[in-house]
Each structure stands twice: as C-alpha cells, then as structure tokens.
Amino acid sequence: MKRIYLSPPHLDGRERELLLQAYDSNWITTLGPHVDAFEEEMCRKIGMKHAVALGSGTAALHLALLMLGIGRGDLVLCSDLTFAASANVIRYCGAEPVFIDSDRSTWNMDSGLLEEELDACAKKGKLPRVAIVVDIYGQCADYDPIVKTCAKYGIPIVEDAAEALGATYRGTYAGRFGAMGIFSFNGNKIITTSGGGMLVSDNVKYIEQARFLSTQARDPAPHYQHSHIGYNYRLSNLLAAIGRGQLARLDEKVAKKRSINEYYRNSLGDLSGIEFMPEAPYGTSNCWLTVILIAPEKFGSDRETVRLALEAEDIESRPIWKPMHLQPVFKDCRIRGGSVSENLFERGLCLPSGTQMTEGDLERVTKVIRDCYKP
Ligand SMILES: Cc1ncc(COP(=O)(O)O)c(C=O)c1O
C-alpha cells in the first residue's frame, strides 16, 4: 500500500506542457513571459491590481514589511497560531513581534484581543506599525472588525494568505484585505510551483518597489550600481510556468479539498471527542487541510496516539502549528491571550488532505482513527 502524505503536489493540468514551453524557449531564468503571465493571471483570479512573483511566501512577507518601512525597534502584531515564517520576517527587519491569540470560533486572530492590545499600546504611547493577519488552514480571518480596529489606529494590515488561495470572505478572495497580501506556492500548498510565492496589492508603488528590491535593487544604469540593499527573491520562469498550470485548476482543487473535508465530517462526525475546525459563516474556506481536535477524555485516545497509529499505517498527519508564543525563539515576546491557541495545539491534528486522494485513501485514514476510538 502506498504512503498517504499530508498534502503533496498534484500536477494535473497543463504544467508539463507550459514547463517544456519555457525550457524550449530558453527563458529559464528569473524573468520571462511565464512570470509576467502568472502575475497577470493571479491578479485576474483574485481581483487584485498588481502582483510580483517571488521565490517564496516568506520573501513576499519580508518585502511587505520593508515596503511599510519596518525597522529596528518597531512593534509588529502577528497572529499567534501560524507557521513560523509569519513571525520570522518581523525579526528579519529587526522589529519586535507581539502575538495575538486566536478566536475559538474561527481559529484566526481574535479581533477583541487585537482591540485590547491596540488600546493598551495607545495608552502606553507606542503603537505597533503593522499587523500581520494570517488566514489559517485556508479560512479567512474575520476582516470586518479587524480592518475597522486597525484603521482606527492607522495600522496597515499585511494579509498572510499563504494557505488560503481561493478562500473567500463575504464574497471577496483571500489576499485582498490588507495594504498587501501574500501567497505561498511551496510543495504542500493548494497550488504549488515546487517553491514560490507572490506579493499582491492594489497599490502599484508597493509592487514596483518590491520588484526592484527582489532583483538586487539595481539602479537604472548601464553598469552595476546600487543605492539600496537588495535581495535575490524572484521566481524563475520555469516555476512560473508550473504555477500557471496549477492556477488554472484552482477552482477544482478547492472543490476537491472541500469534498475531502466533507468526507471526514461525514465519516468521523459521530465520534464523541472529535471536533472539526469550524467553518465561519462569513466565507468559504479552501479547506487546505482538514483539521480535527481530539478530546482524549471522550475519545479514549489522545492526539499523539492517533498520529502514531496513522504513521504505523504509513499515513502522514501532523499536530497543528505550535503557537508562536510557545516557540523557544519567541519566548520573550509579548502575547495577548494565548490559552486558545495552546488548547488547539494540544488537541489538534491535521489530516491528509491531498487533492489526489481517492475514496479508498480516505477510508484507510478514517478506519485507523475509528480504531483508536475507545470511549
Ligand atoms: C501561514 C504561512 N505563512 C507563510 C508561509 C511561508 O511560505 P513559504 O514556505 O512559501 O516561504 C507559510 C508556508 O510555508 C505559511 O503556512
């Protein structure tokens, strides 16, 4: 029996043809027609005006902070329940992360805690400069109150939609709720370029400047001249070709991820002690990963027992992101709240959610989980 991975790449469209086109044209570097087309097609898909394709989602986040002038000593708010990349970039800029706990009903940044933190900062006379708001596991944060609170204090939002391409909030695509949004195309994301990312914005200045910095900040001169520190962050034309093939199939991928989520809900929903990540009524999740919470006192086995039982059957699953305030590297940073994300971390397990999964694969996964049920 083959190993079932968490969320492996799934190349099922014109990727091969487009990749060979790029190869045969000799445009295999970080510029080229597929890069331009990938950026345009992404803008069209999500309804954003401008985009720059980059080597990773992390690079996109880093450039977003640089565009907003973040530097040494600045405070930057960040969702607590996320992958380390969301917070690492704050440190790249020499700034100080302040983490905001999750709302239990969406698992995303709690807008009430965000307001409390900003009110407290205002009283102390030092406001954060930016808020990095993450759309976790493919579900948008609750942007109406978040945008309102940030606007009250004049704080721009960077939307970390690395996991949420194709998700919507009140009918608008993820990635459009901040001054800038970012996506990741690493190997486990809903679409992949093997590794890659994109920075999007309606503000052309941000995107032009980010493009400039991403190509080593070379001044317009015939010789190599640099007035700024630049980065080598661009996406290759070969990888952009793969991305175009993937993006064209995004709707099918979202539909498949959602059907996987529905399968798990139907076949595990009756077990006491299992709870699914809630889908908020304000939008549609892309269900990048299906995530469950296991309450051992009711289910009879804990999260780690279930994970190891799956592993013994050659099935990959993962504990949910360890909150940033529990990470040794961020242990001295401020956290507003923290108990919600801690509790989710203790009990949360991400189930295999690859878009190539068959009904047989899903049966294999659910059988192992049902066998761990000892109420
Ligand atoms: C929430 C979140 N932010 C940022 C990233 C970073 O993206 P990348 O791996 O493309 O650098 C990821 C994924 O890896 C992510 O899940």
Side-chain angles (χ1 to χ4, degrees):
M1 264 193 296
K2 68 176 185 354
R3 180 163 173 79
I4 299 178
Y5 289 98
L6 194 69
S7 184
H10 180 191
L11 305 167
D12 62 341
R14 292 181 61 218
E15 293 87 346
R16 189 182 157 84
E17 178 198 331
L18 293 167
L19 179 64
L20 289 175
Q21 237 181 48
Y23 180 93
D24 291 338
S25 71
N26 206 36
W27 281 102
I28 63 159
T29 179
T30 51
L31 290 174
H34 288 291
V35 174
D36 298 343
F38 189 31
E39 290 168 352
E40 277 163 32
E41 286 160 11
M42 187 72 148
C43 285
R44 215 176 308 134
K45 178 70 195 169
I46 67 164
M48 204 93 192
K49 288 194 183 133
H50 308 283
V52 56
L54 299 163
S56 67
T58 309
L61 280 168
H62 185 198
L63 290 177
L65 292 189
L66 293 176
M67 291 309 96
L68 295 168
I70 300 308
R72 200 154 295 282
D74 287 335
L75 296 179
V76 176
L77 300 179
C78 183
S79 303
D80 185 40
L81 184 69
T82 186
F83 177 56
S86 315
N88 283 342
V89 294
I90 301 171
R91 288 289 202 219
Y92 295 176
C93 299
E96 191 58 39
V98 177
F99 298 112
I100 309 286
D101 199 359
S102 296
D103 178 332
R104 184 65 179 76
S105 65
T106 67
W107 298 15
N108 279 308
M109 185 183 281
D110 183 320
S111 57
L113 293 179
L114 169 72
E115 191 163 16
E116 274 178 27
E117 178 60 28
L118 287 176
D119 289 347
C121 288
K123 280 199 192 105
K124 279 189 265 173
K126 181 162 182 181
L127 279 171
R129 297 272 326 278
V130 175
I132 298 176
V133 182
V134 180
D135 301 326
I136 205 71
Y137 294 121
Q139 169 153 279
C140 287
D142 190 1
Y143 282 105
D144 283 351
I146 291 175
V147 167
K148 195 167 157 219
T149 302
C150 286
K152 180 173 145 197
Y153 286 105
I155 293 171
I157 292 172
V158 171
E159 182 181 356
D160 181 347
E163 303 171 3
L165 179 61
T168 60
Y169 177 81
R170 303 200 190 286
T172 297
Y173 275 119
R176 294 188 50 190
F177 292 94
M180 282 165 272
I182 76 99
F183 297 102
S184 164
F185 312 125
N186 81 17
N188 66 17
K189 293 298 183 286
I190 192 157
I191 72 165
T192 182
T193 56
S194 79
M198 207 172 278
L199 179 69
V200 298
S201 179
D202 279 337
N203 186 335
V204 68
K205 280 200 198 121
Y206 288 145
I207 298 302
E208 272 176 2
Q209 183 68 6
R211 198 184 302 280
F212 169 70
L213 290 186
S214 72
T215 44
Q216 301 287 20
R218 194 174 157 196
D219 292 338
H223 49 272
Y224 286 93
Q225 178 172 299
H226 304 270
S227 314
H228 299 268
I229 297 296
Y231 302 84
N232 185 1
Y233 275 176
R234 281 293 262 162
L235 187 72
S236 130
N237 194 54
L238 288 175
L239 303 188
I242 298 176
R244 292 183 66 201
Q246 291 266 290
L247 182 61
R249 304 294 299 263
L250 177 63
D251 292 348
E252 281 102 318
K253 289 178 193 297
V254 173
K256 176 72 189 194
K257 293 264 190 196
R258 290 187 60 82
S259 77
I260 289 170
N261 185 270
E262 200 182 320
Y263 182 98
Y264 281 130
R265 283 178 190 267
N266 290 337
S267 48
L268 298 172
D270 61 317
L271 305 180
S272 61
I274 290 219
E275 192 190 319
F276 283 80
M277 176 177 177
E279 183 165 14
Y282 53 59
T284 310
S285 169
N286 72 5
C287 293
W288 170 53
L289 295 181
T290 288
V291 192
I292 54 170
L293 298 180
I294 300 173
E297 59 286 2
K298 291 190 193 145
F299 187 74
S301 302
D302 63 8
R303 192 269 313 274
E304 197 51 12
T305 308
V306 176
R307 192 186 71 77
L308 291 173
L310 288 165
E311 193 51 51
E313 292 298 320
D314 222 1
I315 298 169
E316 185 183 27
S317 64
R318 293 260 176 95
I320 78 167
W321 300 128
K322 182 171 183 175
M324 291 304 106
H325 79 277
L326 298 179
Q327 299 290 350
V329 72
F330 296 123
K331 69 179 186 330
D332 298 327
C333 298
R334 192 156 78 230
I335 166 79
R336 170 84 36 183
S339 59
V340 173
S341 63
E342 274 176 38
N343 186 266
L344 295 174
F345 171 59
E346 268 164 35
R347 298 190 291 136
L349 189 67
C350 304
L351 301 181
S353 307
T355 45
Q356 264 163 322
M357 284 183 88
T358 62
E359 195 148 335
D361 293 335
L362 289 163
E363 271 168 24
R364 248 176 86 191
V365 178
T366 50
K367 179 173 180 316
V368 177
I369 299 174
R370 291 193 81 91
D371 288 348
C372 293
Y373 184 51
K374 297 179 180 96

